Amino acid sequence: MKNSDIHVPQRQRSLSFRKGAFSLVCVFLLSLSAGLALVLVHTPQKAHATNWVEVWNDEFNGSAGAGADSQWQYDLGTGYPCSGCASWGTGEIETMTNNTSNVSQDGNGHLLIKALHNNGSWTSGRIETTNSSFAAPAGGELEVTASLQQPNVSGQSALGYWPAFWMLGSAFRGVYTNWPGIGEIDIMEDINGLSNEYATLHCGTASGGPCNEKNGRGSGPVSCAGCQSGYHTYTVIIDRSSSPEQIRWYLDGGQIFSVSASQMDATTWANAVDHSFFIILDLAMGGAFPNGVCNCTSPTSATTSGASLNVDYVRVFTSSSVANTPTATPTSTTGPGGTACSIHYAITNQWSGGFGASVTIMNTGSTAINGWTLTWTFANGQAITQLWNGNSTQSGSNVSVTNAPYNGTIAPGSNTSFGFNGSWNGTNTSPTSFALNGKGCNVV
């Protein structure tokens, strides 16, 4: 996604690209199914208790036609002011402006970030909070939440649209070359009007490592019905009151994904999570992520100009104690062999003779998993050629993957992931059954 010296934030990179010295080259990518969803639980989020304090908000109650208020700063142009930071590090093609045609309030309590096409060029908007002190206190929690309506456009008219609500570690500001170690938390992304949500943590080193960069640890596409036609709530909670610490993502109050400190070494987690952040809202056009999903170069001549990411509010809360936190309770799901676990297997890239895949192991039980081995059988003679965040052996079609030193423990309600590249010929069918430590898991 970037050259070996520059590390620019990626937002959501379950599909990745690389940037050479001065050019971008998309890797082979497979279209992801719009209906594929990784949904861990759907438990309503509790109301804020008295120990939760709202520390910041913007309700966007400005007059019609006004730009973003003084709580935000504009990102302008086509990249951060550093060598190698062109196209915001993602391959997107729009120019970001502070023009009210791109970023404005509607007079009814909403901010609109609108992408416009004119004379062969696209413009749009990208804003960051001036406040970069949003942090979960030691032993406490941070919640960042927004009510958003995704761009209301679909099909060929939506190709290239890429709305995002996300955070970067405050140490990134003014440095730009310390991504992803400083942490990036993607709260909401969608591409090409598919009405999905992607939730992701980026951390560690710019290639591989415990967050499998440049992909990140992500949910994959979570179905978000009605998210283009109406407002929905997107939330992330950084929980430093739990052991191990966790990040949890919610859609309309239902938990959709989580990452815990047990999935990586303590230093990587602390560098990525245990500090302050600033918030970003933007609407990009084109780039490797939407291009990889549509298997096209977007936006196209069919892409509609003028769709917008609409924002009702952004709010930030902190809690300094563990009582009555707005944490959803995981639902225990027992697999066919008696183990409380679920497996999500997703093909992320595919090309002639080769493919990439990610596997997420979810502990849906009430006790920790300490050390794991996951086994399955390929149906079509596929072979693993490279694997990260684990160790693999394969005999014929039978595959066995054991944990890496840093991700062997999976706390209740948490998950861990690994990825691999493989070879195939003729058919590349996903496995339909998995066993964890010898006992069957549900496949989701």
Side-chain angles (χ1 to χ4, degrees):
M1 293 181 190
K2 55 196 76 61
N3 63 29
S4 59
D5 298 319
I6 299 299
H7 310 304
V8 183
Q10 298 302 302
R11 303 216 314 275
Q12 154 64 30
R13 294 295 88 84
S14 63
L15 298 173
S16 66
F17 73 98
R18 298 183 180 274
K19 183 169 67 180
F22 294 97
S23 62
L24 294 160
V25 181
C26 287
V27 298
F28 294 98
L29 301 163
L30 173 68
S31 298
L32 297 176
S33 170
L36 179 62
L38 171 56
V39 181
L40 305 188
V41 295
H42 284 294
T43 304
Q45 187 175 354
K46 301 174 185 176
H48 286 294
T50 56
N51 61 306
W52 279 83
V53 177
E54 186 175 33
V55 297
W56 187 94
N57 73 78
D58 199 331
E59 306 297 323
F60 302 107
N61 289 325
S63 59
D69 62 35
S70 60
Q71 296 192 98
W72 301 87
Q73 63 188 47
Y74 290 87
D75 291 332
L76 302 176
T78 58
Y80 285 109
C82 58
S83 175
C85 296
S87 302
W88 303 106
T90 69
E92 58 201 73
I93 58 88
E94 81 293 331
T95 298
M96 297 298 189
T97 84
N98 58 5
N99 195 303
T100 53
S101 63
N102 293 121
V103 182
S104 66
Q105 299 185 59
D106 67 357
N108 295 312
H110 306 115
L111 178 78
L112 280 57
I113 302 179
K114 185 178 295 185
L116 296 171
H117 183 255
N118 187 34
N119 295 326
S121 298
W122 285 86
T123 59
S124 190
R126 172 177 169 135
I127 56 175
E128 305 177 354
T129 55
T130 56
N131 191 328
S132 60
S133 65
F134 306 130
E141 298 177 79
L142 170 73
E143 176 179 318
V144 179
T145 186
S147 177
L148 308 170
Q149 180 181 354
Q150 294 184 17
N152 193 12
V153 62
S154 61
Q156 294 294 308
S157 298
L159 293 177
Y161 274 89
W162 185 359
F165 166 45
W166 51 302
M167 301 194 297
L168 279 171
S170 57
F172 177 82
R173 188 168 275 173
V175 178
Y176 311 122
T177 57
N178 49 6
W179 185 91
I182 45 78
E184 174 184 331
I185 299 175
D186 302 327
I187 307 169
M188 184 285 296
E189 291 182 287
D190 190 28
I191 40 84
N192 299 337
L194 295 177
S195 202
N196 289 326
E197 178 189 359
Y198 292 79
T200 308
L201 170 68
H202 292 278
C203 72
T205 60
S207 180
C211 272
N212 184 30
E213 300 299 349
K214 308 180 174 67
N215 296 332
R217 285 187 173 269
S219 64
V222 177
S223 181
C224 191
C227 284
Q228 296 170 298
S229 57
Y231 286 88
H232 292 258
T233 304
Y234 303 86
T235 302
V236 72
I237 292 177
I238 299 175
D239 186 355
R240 299 186 65 191
S241 70
S242 64
S243 181
E245 295 181 0
Q246 290 186 337
I247 305 174
R248 297 184 296 274
W249 286 260
Y250 300 83
L251 172 61
D252 291 329
Q255 185 179 328
I256 59 169
F257 188 57
S258 68
V259 175
S260 76
S262 64
Q263 294 174 255
M264 62 194 69
D265 63 271
T267 299
T268 296
W269 179 268
N271 289 343
V273 178
D274 294 343
H275 53 68
S276 60
F277 291 83
F278 59 91
I279 301 167
I280 304 173
L281 292 163
D282 77 280
L283 178 55
M285 294 301 297
F289 190 20
N291 289 355
V293 172
C294 72
N295 193 27
C296 67
T297 299
S298 69
T300 72
S301 59
T303 303
T304 296
S305 173
S308 61
L309 170 63
N310 299 344
V311 188
D312 184 18
Y313 62 77
V314 180
R315 298 169 184 165
V316 181
F317 302 84
T318 59
S319 171
S320 58
S321 67
V322 300
N324 298 317
T325 62
T327 303
T329 302
T331 299
S332 178
T333 304
T334 303
T339 299
C341 57
S342 293
I343 304 298
H344 178 71
Y345 179 100
I347 297 174
T348 56
N349 310 319
Q350 186 164 291
W351 56 96
S352 178
F355 71 104
S358 65
V359 181
T360 300
I361 304 170
M362 293 161 273
N363 182 355
T364 58
S366 58
T367 60
I369 297 170
N370 294 304
W372 52 265
T373 298
L374 185 70
T375 58
W376 73 86
T377 299
F378 281 126
N380 311 115
Q382 301 97 318
I384 293 177
T385 57
Q386 179 187 27
L387 185 138
W388 49 91
N389 294 333
N391 301 286
S392 68
T393 59
Q394 183 168 351
S395 177
S397 295
N398 299 316
V399 178
S400 177
V401 179
T402 58
N403 60 271
Y406 49 79
N407 63 358
T409 299
I410 311 175
S414 296
N415 60 79
T416 192
S417 300
F418 61 87
F420 65 87
N421 291 328
S423 61
W424 67 286
N425 183 27
T427 304
N428 187 18
T429 304
S430 297
T432 57
S433 64
F434 296 83
L436 185 68
N437 294 339
K439 296 184 177 181
C441 295
N442 288 314
V443 181
V444 297

